[in-house]
Amino acid sequence: MQTESAEQPPVIDLVDPELYAKGDPFVQWRWLRAHQPVYWHEPTQYPGFWVLTRYDDIRAAYRDAAAFSSAQGILLRPESHGADPGGGRTLALTDAPRHRQLRGLVDGWFSLRSARAMEEDVQSVVRQVVDDALERGTCDFVTDVAARLPLYVICKMMGIPGADWEKLFTLTSDAFGAGDPLTRRLAHLDILGYFEALQADKAKNPADDLVSVLATASVDGERLSPDDVILNCDNLLVGGSENTRIATAGGMLAFLRRPDQWQLLSDSPELLPSAVEEVLRWTSTATHIMRTATRAVEIRGRRIAAGDRVTFWLPSANRDESVFEDPDRFDIRRQPNRHLALGFGEHFCVGSVLARVEMRLLYGELLSRSIRVTLEDEPTLLSSIVVNGPERLPVRMTAV
């Protein structure tokens, strides 16, 4: 990759997965922020799209949900993959008023009051996950710690029987890992098949859980179709586990590489809330979010046509020099910290409160029990344009 400068810009290729696994995407984002903050990315295996890299532009576009639609997909997809089957049907892939109606069905489950009521259950899961990791001694912090906590919690909220949690853990690991594409596809089909059976059971025998809420819900006087329930269950499972897993592991990696920050947190545990916010900013695990322009829009003199795809590069926004002082420094004391890691506006992450609780309790457990975490080997980063962070984080965990 060419070095960054105004005279010799870097080669801009944001759809190369290896850039995130082995390269440095911040070189490209930094140059774009400075020189072409609204950039047209030529078609590759993906259709052409606009790139927004500055905080203020992305925040304004998030706010204008009428001009920037989610219903046609929120992630870049190769031309050969066609449209996202969840378009216009799931919580993440709908616009108002449908989005607000679907969100209204589940919002109460993810409120601050609900999260506080669940803290004891979450703490119990945290202890079990940490105990199991300590028993192993050496483990993959991504798979054995960071992945299990949010998945077990969302499974409990969805009413998935405890006996099936390990099955869902294996399926989600296969479906959303970096393995063979056929293996990923088959595992995802198995997840959808699992929810097909579960939603049918919950429709007949509803209980106090999220799947029952969706399986018995009506919007505009019509029951959600079984397919819509299944797709929304899949949406909640992924949304409730994937990004929290990567952010938690990415935060641990940041602490391992900056032991002074972990020591500061150990000495001042009251900094846990601000530490979690800095982890979210620093990791910014959703690499990009896509919208489709519903009408012609002008941003910084560039005309975006109706129907154009517009992408928000969140890690870039959260390192914007015009918003964050010394943005390339990991600082758990950072205030203010109005990052966009969890989105903004109408599509602000529904599980944001719960994600913060999970991360706070996990890091708090490690600190309160004086558990030492040390790197056993170099981490492996995800080869993906969708989410970024550790794929593997080999560590040794010992109780001091």
Side-chain angles (χ1 to χ4, degrees):
M1 183 181 294
Q2 300 174 41
T3 58
E4 172 193 7
S5 73
E7 296 75 25
Q8 189 180 39
V11 173
I12 303 299
D13 183 6
L14 297 177
V15 294
D16 177 9
E18 290 303 295
L19 173 65
Y20 307 96
K22 298 177 181 177
D24 182 2
F26 288 98
V27 171
Q28 296 185 31
W29 290 326
R30 195 176 298 118
W31 189 89
L32 287 170
R33 286 198 306 272
H35 303 288
Q36 293 192 44
V38 184
Y39 174 82
W40 176 252
H41 202 292
E42 293 294 335
T44 54
Q45 72 270 38
Y46 297 89
F49 56 93
W50 290 99
V51 174
L52 302 185
T53 50
R54 285 192 183 173
Y55 180 99
D56 288 343
D57 296 339
I58 291 173
R59 192 173 185 270
Y62 261 133
R63 186 192 293 275
D64 193 354
F68 297 96
S69 169
S70 302
Q72 297 179 54
I74 62 168
L75 298 172
L76 290 166
R77 292 167 66 88
E79 291 276 21
S80 59
H81 286 200
D84 193 314
R89 306 173 73 179
T90 67
L91 187 64
L93 276 70
T94 44
D95 298 324
R98 185 71 171 184
H99 172 74
R100 293 172 189 162
Q101 293 167 331
L102 290 174
R103 187 161 183 143
L105 297 175
V106 302
D107 251 347
W109 285 80
F110 296 96
S111 66
L112 181 58
R113 176 182 295 181
S114 178
R116 284 174 174 165
M118 285 191 63
E119 277 209 23
E120 187 174 334
D121 287 338
V122 176
Q123 186 70 68
S124 177
V125 174
V126 166
R127 289 194 192 100
Q128 186 60 56
V129 166
V130 170
D131 285 345
D132 290 346
L134 283 171
E135 189 173 334
R136 291 186 187 94
T138 58
C139 67
D140 176 4
F141 194 89
V142 177
T143 301
D144 297 322
V145 180
R148 291 180 185 272
L149 171 59
L151 183 72
Y152 290 172
V153 172
I154 195 65
C155 280
K156 183 177 181 63
M157 293 174 69
M158 296 181 78
I160 295 171
D164 292 344
W165 291 4
E166 279 300 309
K167 175 181 179 179
L168 266 296
F169 175 78
T170 300
L171 287 176
T172 54
S173 297
D174 290 343
F176 307 115
D180 172 69
L182 178 60
T183 300
R184 294 202 306 267
R185 183 171 181 273
L186 292 175
H188 202 177
L189 288 173
D190 283 345
I191 292 172
L192 296 175
Y194 181 88
F195 281 127
E196 181 179 15
L198 186 63
Q199 69 84 26
D201 177 63
K202 297 291 186 179
K204 294 177 182 177
N205 306 291
D208 186 21
D209 58 63
L210 276 169
V211 177
S212 295
V213 168
L214 293 171
T216 59
S218 295
V219 175
D220 284 339
E222 290 187 14
R223 289 280 291 269
L224 292 181
S225 71
D227 282 352
D228 282 3
V229 174
I230 293 165
L231 288 169
N232 276 286
C233 286
D234 182 57
N235 193 178
L236 287 171
L237 181 74
V238 175
S241 58
E242 185 77 353
N243 286 90
T244 306
R245 166 179 68 85
I246 304 170
T248 303
M252 194 71 247
L253 178 58
F255 282 120
L256 289 170
R257 287 178 168 166
R258 299 161 186 83
D260 62 304
Q261 293 292 296
W262 187 254
Q263 186 60 53
L264 174 59
L265 189 56
S266 178
D267 294 339
S268 306
E270 69 276 7
L271 290 175
L272 260 173
S274 68
V276 167
E277 295 307 316
E278 181 67 345
V279 165
L280 289 168
R281 182 195 75 90
W282 185 260
T283 58
S284 294
T285 57
T287 310
H288 82 272
I289 294 293
M290 189 186 79
R291 296 289 188 261
T292 302
T294 60
R295 55 178 171 80
V297 180
E298 187 173 295
I299 305 177
R300 298 186 186 271
R302 303 300 301 273
R303 187 179 185 276
I304 295 169
D308 282 357
R309 297 169 177 85
V310 184
T311 55
F312 311 163
W313 297 82
L314 303 183
S316 174
N318 289 331
R319 301 280 185 99
D320 189 331
E321 304 84 351
S322 69
V323 176
F324 299 96
E325 183 180 352
D326 199 3
D328 294 320
R329 178 167 56 92
F330 181 70
D331 179 9
I332 66 169
R333 291 184 182 272
R334 185 178 296 278
Q335 292 291 344
N337 196 350
R338 293 186 290 271
H339 59 78
L340 298 176
L342 299 171
F344 184 77
E346 195 165 276
H347 277 268
F348 185 72
C349 176
V350 68
S352 59
V353 173
L354 184 61
R356 288 178 166 108
V357 167
E358 290 170 351
M359 294 170 70
R360 174 173 56 80
L361 292 179
L362 176 57
Y363 293 146
E365 183 79 3
L366 297 176
L367 290 164
S368 66
R369 293 170 61 175
S370 300
I371 293 170
R372 179 180 297 160
V373 184
T374 53
L375 272 175
E376 283 287 285
D377 200 353
E378 278 301 300
T380 302
L381 300 182
L382 286 161
S383 177
S384 168
I385 71 166
V386 176
V387 288
N388 70 94
E391 179 186 5
R392 290 185 64 254
L393 182 57
V395 299
R396 177 175 294 277
M397 291 177 57
T398 53
V400 179

